[in-house]
Amino acid sequence: MSGAASGEATSDEAASDEAASGPMSRVVVVGASAAGLAAVETLRREGYEGAISLVGDEPHAPYDRPPLSKQILSGEWNPKRLPLRPYADLDALGLDLRLGAAATGLDTADRTVLLADGERVAYDGLIVATGVRPRRLPGEGPQHVLRTVDDALALRHRLGAGRRLAVVGAGFLGAEAAAVAAGLGARVTLIEPAPVPLAHAVGAEVGDVLSRAHLEHGVDLRTGVAVAEVTEGGVRLADGTLIEAEDVLVAIGSHPNTEWLADSGLTVGDGLVCDAYCAAGPGVYGAGDVARWYNPLFGTEMRIEHRTHAAEQGMAAARNLLHPGEGKPFAPVPYFWSDQYDMRIQAYGYLRGHDEVAVVEGELARRRFVAVYRTGDRVTGVLAVGMPPKAIRRWRQSIATGSTWEETVPAAESA
Amino acid sequence: MRVELDEPKCVAAGQCVMASPEVFDQRDDDGVAILLEEHPDESLLDGVREAVAICPAAALRLVEQ
């Protein structure tokens, strides 16, 4: 990355930035979840001693979301286990912590964030980490969603033996919730508009074997079914059929929370549009679920809604905000996991839009395998179920180094 | 400095092993993290801090002594 000449050039640029605007003394991070927390911790770790405001619309201190559709929904965990940091650690960061405070506007000329209560918070540097909110269905009937701890507890209290739950959307979130509800003895109908669940994310072959687990656990999986609306009695399908249920969970994806940026002059299009350095405008960076950025490792724009990604991008955005002249492109290998029934699914890379899938270890049908993904001539993804960590980590390495399919996969298949 | 691992919280992502292979490993059967060095050397602390920050289960903590 270095070289004396470019090193000098970048530090000159940084020096002139500083001369023009003075040193940064007020950072505002909007969004108090995994990405926002990682950003504020990184600012402090990197030695920034100025003011930091951490603004979050929920009333809770930063907490973890993956357990919501797992241990919280099952009742295995008390919600007291959710906070991402003990209070003392949060306190030690010396934050101006504003919880229950939604950001409603951004004035980039004046460098101020407008809050719902009318207050204006000035910044030199801003990190946007406002996340996403669940999409909903039309209809008058009550809809559960699963994004916040309050959502999870509300659904948890409704589940139990013999209760009927309809889950719309058999993506990872819907599948996890269906698995937990079935485990609690609920009668679950899982409704998926696509012919094969998860096919767009992991391919039809893998999606098909994963979804068979639902059938084995007594979940009534209905695929290729269009949904019209949620009614008082359940879910009305496009053909008029009513799937009766006491409760309906809608898990059909999310909207990035960017409305508050509408008049900011920043570019918004399925997320806050950022460059390879996570920069969205002068002194403004994006991180987490809300940020769409150019990932140079895959040569494409992406927006990633994974837990690990939120922390990684929060860290990268904070570093690049502090050191703009020597910023590093953010080129991660995305990672996610999902727990369904007795399966632990883990994946690295960018699987969407792949051209080919090859099983290089184990057996699909036994749901114990490693599948690798090709896009163009590169290895771009790996997904494993029930395999030891080392079996998947070497493939992560192939993805990170941009290995070609030709040089990596035939050797593994014949081994 | 002491590293704390809340093992029941671990989701076996292995991010700690990539950030700090000298201090962390994973069990072969279920991938749950193993703490190799409870009191890592000063020279390893940057990697440990990285691991604490990116752990997707908030299962790690670095405690001043």
Side-chain angles (χ1 to χ4, degrees), chain A residues 41 45 64 77 81 83-86 89 307-308 311-312 315 319 335 337 344 346 348 388-390 393 396, chain B residues 6 8-9 11-15 17-18 25-28 30-31 46 49-50 52-58 61:
Chain A
E41 287 187 334
R45 241 174 345 122
D64 210 11
W77 281 16
R81 294 185 70 169
L84 285 169
R85 297 292 179 261
D89 291 11
R307 170 66 181 82
T308 324
E312 288 175 344
M315 293 162 69
R319 283 178 181 140
Y335 166 80
W337 82 97
R344 158 67 52 90
Q346 293 186 291
Y348 285 105
K390 284 172 188 98
R393 216 183 296 144
R396 181 203 178 272
Chain B
D6 185 348
K9 269 192 155 186
V11 296
Q15 303 286 314
V17 185
M18 281 183 284
D25 198 354
Q26 282 175 283
R27 296 202 297 239
D28 267 338
D30 59 6
D46 274 353
R49 288 196 180 94
E50 187 86 7
V52 171
I54 62 169
C55 171
R61 194 163 176 238

Side-chain angles (χ1 to χ4, degrees), chain A residues 17-36:
Chain A
D17 273 2
E18 208 163 275
S21 56
M24 195 158 56
S25 64
R26 291 172 303 181
V27 175
V28 176
V29 177
V30 184
S33 196

